[in-house]
Amino acid sequence: MLPLAITLVLIALGTFLIGRYSFRQPASGTPTATDSDTDCASCGLLPTQCHNECDDTDDTTPIDYFDDEELDAYRERPSHAYTDEEADDFAHVLHTMQPEEVPQWLNSLRMRHIQPPDQLKEELVFFLTD
C-alpha cells in the first residue's frame, strides 16, 4: 500500500510541475533579461520561489548564454515533445555548469522561449531546492 501511495504522490507532483511550467511570448522584439528575472528563474518549476512578475522584460539587457547556443533550435517546442536524444542536449549543458548557475540558465532558456524537456524536470527541481 505504501509504494502505491508514494507512486501516486510522485505522479501528482510531476503533473503539477508540468502543468505549471509555461512560458509567455513577448509582444515583439528580442527577448532580454532584467535584474528581476534572476528571482524568477525558477518560475513554472517552483512557482513559490517567484516573487516578481516573470514577464517583465527590458530591451536593454542581453540574454546570458551558457555555451548552449545549439539549444536555440528548440525554441517554441513544448516540454513534452522532446526525444530522449534531444533531452540529452539539455542534460549535457546542465551537467557542465555549476549548481548555482542553474537558475540563471533556466532564466536564459525562458527568455529565449525554450522549455526544458520533461525528462529533466525532476533533476532541475533538485538543483533549485538543494
Side-chain angles (χ1 to χ4, degrees):
M1 185 69 168
L2 183 59
L4 177 61
I6 292 172
T7 302
L8 290 175
V9 168
L10 290 175
I11 290 171
L13 177 62
T15 302
F16 172 76
L17 291 174
I18 290 169
R20 295 287 298 171
Y21 196 82
S22 64
F23 295 98
R24 293 189 59 188
Q25 303 294 327
S28 63
T30 304
T32 57
T34 65
D35 292 338
S36 66
D37 286 327
T38 302
D39 296 335
C40 292
S42 60
C43 271
L45 284 176
L46 296 173
T48 58
Q49 289 185 345
C50 183
H51 302 291
N52 298 319
E53 285 295 320
C54 289
D55 295 322
D56 290 343
T57 58
D58 180 353
D59 290 336
T60 61
T61 307
I63 296 170
D64 290 328
Y65 280 83
F66 291 80
D67 196 24
D68 65 346
E69 291 81 3
E70 70 277 4
L71 299 181
D72 285 340
Y74 301 120
R75 183 181 170 107
E76 309 284 337
R77 184 178 298 193
S79 63
H80 62 78
Y82 292 101
T83 66
D84 288 339
E85 292 80 21
E86 292 168 334
D88 286 344
D89 292 342
F90 287 84
H92 174 73
V93 175
L94 176 64
H95 296 145
T96 59
M97 66 177 55
Q98 298 297 317
E100 62 271 8
E101 293 177 314
V102 173
Q104 291 84 14
W105 179 58
L106 289 173
N107 186 54
S108 172
L109 292 177
R110 183 184 65 79
M111 296 299 297
R112 293 155 49 197
H113 306 286
I114 302 169
Q115 294 186 25
D118 287 348
Q119 294 94 319
L120 288 182
K121 287 189 178 176
E122 188 174 313
E123 187 172 1
L124 291 170
V125 169
F126 171 77
F127 276 105
L128 294 173
T129 58
D130 191 32

